[in-house]
Amino acid sequence: ARLKTAGFSSFLPGSDLIPPGACKTLNSSAIYANNEVNLAEVDIYGFDYDYTLALYSNALNTMIYNTARNFLIEHFKYPEGIRKYEYIPNFAARGLHYDIQKGLLMKIDAFHYIQPGTVYRGLSPVPDEEVLQLFGGTYHVPLQQDSGFYGKGPKVKQFMDIFSIPEMTLLAVANDFFITNDIEYDPVHLFKDVSEAIGMVHLKGYMYKWVMQDLDKFILRGEETEAVLHRLVSQGKKLFLITNSPFSFVDKGMTHMVGKDWRDFFDVVIVQADKPHFFTDCIKPFRRLDGNGDLRWEKIKSLDKGQIYKQGNLFDFLRLTGWRGSSVLYFGDHLYSDLADLMLRHGWRTAAIVPELEQETKVVSTGRYALNLTWLQALTGLLERLQTHRDLDSKQVFQEWQKEREELRVMTKNLFNPQFGSIFRTCHNPTYFSRRLCRFSDIYMASLSCLLNYDPSYTFYPRRTPLQHEAPLWMDQLCTGCMKTPFLEEMSHIR
């Protein structure tokens, strides 16, 4: 116990410290399973449009931010000085929470605890001691304050979709302006105004206009979307589309990616669906659009191929199509608006599109990450054992190891995002986002094109990870600190 660690810096990539296979490259084109899904049983594939069938370039976030910032100044009469703040591409990350009354952006784990070092007021981190003071001596955010089922709690909002990244950045920037210029303001008013400014970008159709004017600039990898649709139809699968976007926008994008006959792929097309209300209300009827995009007045008695429908609700959709249960797999990027109700209420299979996986798997595949994580696990195991020793030398070593463990945590976090780290983990716990991802999606992937890597009858099996009271059985689940595991020496040879 009295032996001091040689220190992290003395270990280099390739050291014996790293378990065999730890640096094996992860494939960002893989599909990951939270639940067992047999594609042979799936006959009907459903899709959202934005960030599902159509992936957008980061240039769109910059445009949304710039336009909303201008609205804030010109429409809401905010100070001109805010205009000098340019968009910061890698500041915010998806899944963060925002305390509306305190004006704080932060990352919360699956147990409703704030991750120390990830709380920002404006563009500046808030010291951990101040965070504790602000939250009454705890990092815990009570359930009644936290995000409601759809991420919209009364005091704390969760930013769950990719479109919310420019909104978080604008909130941080506006807070920063008032704080650095020592101007008194109400954070609640600021939150409301920024939300409305972002909303105006969408309501006034700016985003639709930008994308339609320069499809090559804003839409990514359209040929992969075409390949997925071709493959599914050739296998005899039925396809449908349910999106909140208007038909003219979807038509232009799909024509760009798939061709002018794109509607031939789909058995049902529903636009301006008003999700998540589409999945929960049973009031709004379907209306058909004619060839010019104008609403028809007749009662909808069937959902026919080649037609375009607007609004409607899931209950009528199920009644008219008869598509039910696990024979349906629906793809979407928003865990609440797209997937939650379908899984919890209707038993559909759900697939989450998580574009961030591409970058995150690159980081996890690096030798630096493997080294950090292995040494972090080793230190945790050493701390677990050393804490029973009460002599002064042991206590001193324990404190040094604790400090080194904290430094390692920060280093590991910074590999993903210097402000907030990985969208999937807070230190050792899953994030609030990660827990929701596991809860509301059977499978998840970086993009729809990942489907091209799998046979149409492929079964996705979730990895069996040991519970805390279970012994790890495989090499990649063994951590240096698992000294309570019986027969550790013998088990270490199992690969």
Side-chain angles (χ1 to χ4, degrees):
R2 293 177 186 172
L3 286 174
K4 293 193 179 183
T5 170
F8 175 75
S9 57
S10 63
F11 291 98
L12 298 171
S15 158
D16 291 339
L17 178 71
I18 302 176
C23 293
K24 190 170 70 178
T25 302
L26 285 171
N27 186 356
S28 63
S29 299
I31 293 177
Y32 301 94
N34 294 318
N35 194 14
E36 190 170 314
V37 176
N38 182 358
L39 291 183
E41 296 174 357
V42 177
D43 302 315
I44 303 126
Y45 285 73
F47 305 93
D48 179 33
Y49 179 69
D50 296 305
Y51 281 110
T52 302
L53 288 171
L55 286 180
Y56 299 116
S57 67
N58 289 331
L60 190 57
N61 281 343
T62 307
M63 299 282 280
I64 293 170
Y65 169 87
N66 288 340
T67 309
R69 181 195 59 192
N70 294 343
F71 277 143
L72 206 58
I73 295 163
E74 290 154 19
H75 181 81
F76 293 94
K77 308 304 179 188
Y78 272 62
E80 185 65 33
I82 292 173
R83 210 186 295 272
K84 73 177 186 204
Y85 288 88
E86 296 297 328
Y87 180 61
I88 310 164
N90 300 312
F91 176 73
R94 188 149 63 123
L96 298 179
H97 285 72
Y98 185 77
D99 190 305
I100 296 166
Q101 294 175 324
K102 297 181 179 74
L104 300 176
L105 193 60
M106 56 197 164
K107 191 162 85 167
I108 294 179
D109 73 8
F111 300 94
H112 294 239
Y113 280 87
I114 301 164
Q115 180 181 349
T118 67
V119 179
Y120 276 73
R121 183 187 285 115
L123 299 172
S124 303
V126 181
D128 294 342
E129 309 76 44
E130 189 180 339
V131 174
L132 282 171
Q133 194 178 356
L134 286 167
F135 287 88
T138 179
Y139 286 114
H140 186 259
V141 178
L143 179 64
Q144 65 271 19
Q145 289 181 20
D146 202 357
S147 303
F149 184 76
Y150 292 112
K152 297 174 183 175
K155 295 182 179 177
V156 180
K157 175 182 174 171
Q158 187 179 22
F159 288 105
M160 212 44 162
D161 68 339
I162 302 166
F163 283 129
S164 64
I165 290 173
E167 183 175 353
M168 286 185 269
T169 310
L170 186 55
L171 274 168
V173 157
N175 275 297
D176 189 77
F177 173 82
F178 286 120
I179 293 162
T180 54
N181 288 283
D182 200 22
I183 299 171
E184 193 176 331
Y185 72 108
D186 188 331
V188 178
H189 297 333
L190 175 63
F191 172 77
K192 179 176 170 291
D193 293 343
V194 168
S195 295
E196 282 193 33
I198 291 283
M200 285 167 73
V201 176
H202 297 284
L203 288 172
K204 288 178 178 286
Y206 282 94
M207 192 200 91
Y208 303 138
K209 186 178 73 176
W210 300 327
V211 175
M212 288 194 284
Q213 283 176 347
D214 199 341
L215 295 160
D216 285 318
K217 177 181 178 181
F218 291 111
I219 292 185
L220 303 174
R221 292 149 56 173
E223 67 283 354
E224 294 175 4
T225 296
E226 181 186 15
V228 170
L229 299 180
H230 266 289
R231 188 173 181 196
L232 292 174
V233 168
S234 68
Q235 292 159 4
K237 308 297 184 183
K238 291 186 180 298
L239 309 185
F240 67 91
L241 170 64
I242 303 177
T243 176
N244 286 352
S245 291
F247 175 68
S248 58
F249 177 66
V250 175
D251 183 46
K252 193 98 175 194
M254 290 300 291
T255 301
H256 173 75
M257 291 186 287
V258 180
K260 63 182 188 312
D261 298 326
W262 69 268
R263 285 155 63 179
D264 294 345
F265 287 103
F266 294 91
D267 293 85
V268 179
V269 175
I270 299 162
V271 298
Q272 291 176 277
D274 192 27
K275 296 179 291 181
H277 305 298
F278 179 90
F279 298 128
T280 54
D281 297 344
C282 51
I283 300 165
K284 280 186 183 174
F286 284 107
R287 294 194 70 173
R288 188 170 68 84
L289 300 179
D290 65 17
N292 298 318
D294 295 321
L295 284 171
R296 300 289 297 170
W297 56 84
E298 67 267 16
K299 184 179 177 68
I300 302 301
K301 296 178 181 175
S302 61
L303 297 174
D304 301 322
K305 185 165 184 170
Q307 301 296 326
I308 304 297
Y309 299 94
K310 181 180 174 180
Q311 296 175 342
N313 63 81
L314 186 68
F315 301 93
D316 283 343
F317 180 87
L318 296 174
R319 179 175 57 81
L320 294 170
T321 62
W323 296 341
R324 295 180 182 279
S326 54
S327 63
V328 186
L329 175 59
Y330 186 77
F331 293 78
D333 68 291
H334 198 300
L335 301 183
Y336 299 145
S337 297
D338 288 326
L339 307 181
D341 290 304
L342 293 174
M343 168 170 274
L344 298 177
R345 298 171 192 256
H346 302 284
W348 284 15
R349 295 298 198 177
T350 55
I353 303 296
V354 188
E356 294 93 340
L357 268 171
E358 200 158 332
Q359 179 56 31
E360 295 247 352
T361 50
K362 280 180 188 171
V363 172
V364 172
S365 300
T366 61
R368 173 56 57 188
Y369 176 83
L371 189 64
N372 278 10
L373 190 64
T374 307
W375 188 225
L376 187 60
Q377 291 289 81
L379 266 178
T380 303
L382 290 168
L383 286 165
E384 187 177 29
R385 295 164 65 202
L386 184 60
Q387 65 183 331
T388 56
H389 295 267
R390 303 297 181 190
D391 59 283
L392 286 174
D393 284 350
S394 295
K395 284 182 178 179
Q396 185 184 345
V397 173
F398 186 84
Q399 286 173 351
E400 288 176 15
W401 281 351
Q402 268 193 319
K403 184 182 175 187
E404 185 168 0
R405 181 174 179 246
E406 190 52 46
E407 288 170 357
L408 271 170
R409 280 179 161 180
V410 172
M411 287 168 65
T412 307
K413 182 194 91 170
N414 290 350
L415 290 172
F416 295 96
N417 173 299
Q419 291 77 237
F420 301 103
S422 167
I423 69 169
F424 298 103
R425 277 203 181 274
T426 59
C427 299
H428 48 275
N429 287 337
T431 56
Y432 196 98
F433 172 86
S434 197
R435 180 61 57 86
R436 286 294 192 265
L437 180 69
C438 293
R439 181 74 181 92
F440 299 145
S441 67
D442 291 293
I443 55 177
Y444 62 100
M445 65 208 77
S447 74
L448 210 55
S449 62
C450 298
L451 273 177
L452 298 169
N453 302 317
Y454 295 87
D455 186 82
S457 59
Y458 188 88
T459 299
F460 296 101
Y461 295 100
R463 193 176 302 157
R464 185 186 175 99
T465 52
L467 300 172
Q468 294 297 310
H469 64 276
E470 295 176 324
L473 295 175
W474 310 110
M475 195 63 197
D476 64 344
Q477 294 165 351
L478 289 172
C479 108
T480 316
C482 289
M483 295 304 177
K484 298 193 205 71
T485 306
F487 316 120
L488 190 69
E489 285 296 313
E490 293 88 334
M491 288 172 65
S492 67
H493 299 299
I494 299 172
R495 295 284 167 86

